[in-house]
């Protein structure tokens, strides 16, 4: 692994990629000058973050502590004036939320969902065995590399299951600054009752994320928090929308827009529906672990799938080769012209 220097002069900022942390952090495309390597730099504005500074510290420490190929790598973190700079690998396709918003409004292809899901479960299995609950699984916290590797981010919301050297059967703490994650959280976590919750709450979030990747938006989007909580507590399980779960009659009632027509014409496999249902069972006891889900036939039957970058077309990764060879690339318009693609401001919430 390359040695990165903790000084701003070693990095050439090329463009703004997006924002995160509720607008209190910016993610930039940058070149590491000693090696010409393209990187992502996240700048936390500590003057804006203030009382949430402990979340930044937690995210940096835990992300660097958890070393796994399916978890985003933070190579270096250092202070620059009022900002904290975090140097990480460039994830050239951005987040899954970016892909949905930009290219796949009606949802990703099934094979792409399976490949992404397999990587997410691999990361979760590792996280859970290390004694942590992620508590923020969603499309914007899944980044895709140029080679099609999906990596989890968002570890500032994570909490330990090991307290004072003892593994806890349940946790009762509620994640801080979680307003943007409520739709993905499990019913037992949202209830905040005496029973608490455990790592199976992440499995429920995986199910919600599957719906988000398949349908183009997460379940309960646009509903009030109270209604969302009521539906989850009642055991209302969201579904992958296709011609089976969204019959033609319902589609016609929904005004016949292009989204409904797209749903009418697609059908997800029984295995994909099965995994989603397993993840979103109301009783956490009956949900499988991440390790158990990885043995599901869904993943065994898709070992010879096309590579993820091919499945994500027309989306294209940022062209590292162009950026490497063009020292005069200093603004977004130039990058757009040279790489023949559009780089857009988005939500890189990692």
């Amino acid at each position: 692994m390359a040695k990165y220097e903790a000084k701003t002069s070693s990095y050439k900022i090329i463009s703004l990629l997006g924002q995160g942390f509720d607008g209190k952090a910016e993610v930039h495309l940058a070149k590491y000058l000693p090696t010409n390597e393209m990187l992502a730099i996240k700048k936390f504005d500590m003057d804006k973050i203030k009382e949430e500074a402990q979340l930044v510290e937690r995210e940096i420490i835990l992300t660097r502590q958890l070393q796994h190929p399916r978890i985003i790598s933070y190579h270096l973190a250092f202070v620059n004036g009022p900002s904290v700079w975090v140097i990480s690998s460039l994830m050239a396709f951005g987040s899954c939320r970016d892909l949905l918003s930009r290219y796949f409004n009606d949802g990703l292809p099934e094979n792409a969902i399976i490949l992404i899901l397999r990587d997410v479960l691999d990361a979760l299995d590792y996280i859970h065995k290390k004694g942590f609950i992620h508590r923020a699984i969603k499309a914007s916290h899944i980044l895709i590399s140029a080679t099609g590797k999906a990596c989890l981010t968002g570890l500032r919301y994570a909490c330990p299951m090991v307290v004072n050297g003892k593994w806890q059967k349940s946790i009762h703490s509620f994640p801080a600054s979680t307003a943007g994650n409520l739709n993905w959280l499990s019913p037992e976590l949202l209830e905040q009752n005496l029973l608490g919750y455990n790592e199976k709450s992440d499995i429920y979030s995986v199910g919600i994320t599957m719906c988000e990747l398949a349908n183009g938006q997460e379940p309960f989007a646009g509903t009030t928090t109270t209604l969302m909580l009521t539906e989850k507590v009642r055991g209302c399980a969201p579904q992958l929308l296709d011609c089976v779960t969204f019959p033609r009659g319902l589609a016609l009632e929904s005004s016949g827009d292009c989204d409904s027509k797209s749903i009418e014409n697609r059908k997800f496999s029984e295995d994909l529906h099965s995994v989603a249902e397993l993840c979103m069972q109301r009783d956490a006891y009956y949900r499988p672990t991440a390790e158990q889900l990885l043995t599901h036939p869904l993943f065994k039957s898709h070992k010879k799938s096309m590579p993820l970058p091919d499945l994500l077309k027309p989306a294209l990764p940022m062209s590292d080769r162009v950026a490497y060879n063009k020292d005069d690339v200093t603004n977004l318009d130039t990058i757009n012209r040279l790489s023949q693609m559009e780089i857009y401001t988005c939500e890189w919430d990692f």
Side-chain angles (χ1 to χ4, degrees):
M1 181 178 293
K3 300 290 184 180
Y4 300 95
E5 299 176 355
K7 56 183 182 180
T8 59
S9 60
S10 296
Y11 303 90
K12 182 179 181 180
I13 303 297
I14 295 175
S15 70
L16 176 68
L17 291 176
Q19 295 183 325
F21 213 128
D22 299 323
K24 300 169 187 174
E26 294 181 341
V27 183
H28 297 264
L29 173 66
K31 178 187 290 186
Y32 182 54
L33 296 176
T35 62
N36 283 336
E37 179 184 0
M38 301 308 297
L39 299 165
I41 297 180
K42 188 171 186 179
K43 299 180 182 180
F44 292 95
D45 187 335
M46 303 309 292
D47 287 340
K48 293 181 180 179
I49 291 173
K50 295 181 180 179
E51 66 273 7
E52 295 178 310
Q54 75 279 3
L55 293 179
V56 177
E57 181 182 14
R58 179 191 304 169
E59 176 179 334
I60 294 171
I61 292 174
L62 188 54
T63 302
R64 298 202 70 185
Q65 176 182 341
L66 297 176
Q67 299 292 318
H68 190 273
R70 297 299 177 256
I71 297 175
I72 191 69
S73 297
Y74 283 177
H75 304 310
L76 177 70
F78 61 93
V79 176
N80 178 45
S83 300
V84 172
W85 285 32
V86 178
I87 314 300
S88 69
S89 303
L90 176 64
M91 305 300 283
F93 276 102
S95 75
C96 287
R97 182 68 260 168
D98 302 333
L99 291 168
L100 293 170
S101 299
R102 187 69 178 177
Y103 298 100
F104 299 95
N105 298 152
D106 300 329
L108 294 170
E110 176 168 338
N111 283 348
I113 296 171
I114 293 170
L115 293 176
I116 292 168
L117 182 61
R118 185 173 59 192
D119 285 351
V120 169
L121 289 173
D122 194 20
L124 267 186
D125 181 43
Y126 171 81
I127 291 171
H128 292 165
K129 288 177 178 177
K130 287 292 184 179
F132 293 94
I133 306 174
H134 189 283
R135 302 195 300 186
I137 303 296
K138 60 179 184 176
S140 64
H141 287 160
I142 304 171
L143 301 180
I144 309 296
S145 73
T147 59
K149 179 179 71 173
C151 289
L152 267 184
T153 67
L155 285 169
R156 64 178 171 273
Y157 302 102
C159 70
M161 290 185 286
V162 179
V163 180
N164 296 325
K166 295 183 179 180
W167 199 287
Q168 306 298 303
K169 292 183 178 180
S170 62
I171 300 293
H172 297 86
S173 65
F174 194 76
S177 302
T178 192
N181 300 327
L182 290 176
N183 285 350
W184 289 265
L185 297 180
S186 67
E188 66 270 16
L189 195 159
L190 291 170
E191 281 183 293
Q192 301 185 63
N193 59 28
L194 294 176
L195 296 176
Y197 60 93
N198 58 24
E199 70 276 11
K200 294 286 189 72
S201 64
D202 280 343
I203 301 302
Y204 184 93
S205 298
V206 168
I208 295 291
T209 302
M210 286 182 66
C211 292
E212 182 182 11
L213 296 177
N215 304 338
Q217 65 177 3
E218 80 278 8
F220 309 109
T223 64
T224 64
T225 301
T226 302
L227 179 58
M228 177 271 295
L229 176 58
T230 301
E231 290 296 297
K232 286 186 177 181
V233 171
R234 286 175 51 204
C236 174
Q239 295 179 312
L240 309 178
L241 300 180
D242 62 9
C243 63
V244 175
T245 59
F246 196 72
R248 184 174 179 81
L250 288 176
L252 291 174
E253 291 176 8
S254 68
S255 78
D257 58 15
C258 60
D259 292 347
S260 299
K261 291 178 182 177
S262 174
I263 292 171
E264 288 177 24
N265 294 326
R266 74 183 179 201
K267 183 178 180 181
F268 295 117
S269 68
E270 292 183 7
D271 282 339
L272 194 70
H273 281 290
S274 171
V275 170
E277 291 170 4
L278 287 170
C279 289
M280 291 184 288
Q281 294 185 87
R282 173 62 179 89
D283 191 335
Y285 177 81
Y286 295 106
R287 293 177 210 148
T289 64
E291 183 179 25
Q292 289 169 338
L293 279 171
L294 285 169
T295 65
H296 193 280
L298 177 71
F299 303 107
K300 294 181 180 179
S301 61
H302 286 79
K303 289 184 178 180
K304 296 183 179 180
S305 172
M306 292 174 61
L308 184 57
D310 292 339
L311 295 170
L312 295 179
K313 291 178 180 178
L316 294 173
M318 280 175 273
S319 175
D320 287 2
R321 182 177 58 192
V322 170
Y324 283 143
N325 297 332
K326 298 294 181 179
D327 291 334
D328 61 342
V329 175
T330 57
N331 59 64
L332 186 58
D333 292 335
T334 306
I335 292 177
N336 289 342
R337 185 167 61 253
L338 290 175
S339 61
Q340 297 181 346
M341 63 170 288
E342 184 177 4
I343 298 176
Y344 48 93
T345 299
C346 53
E347 186 73 10
W348 276 38
D349 191 8
F350 66 88

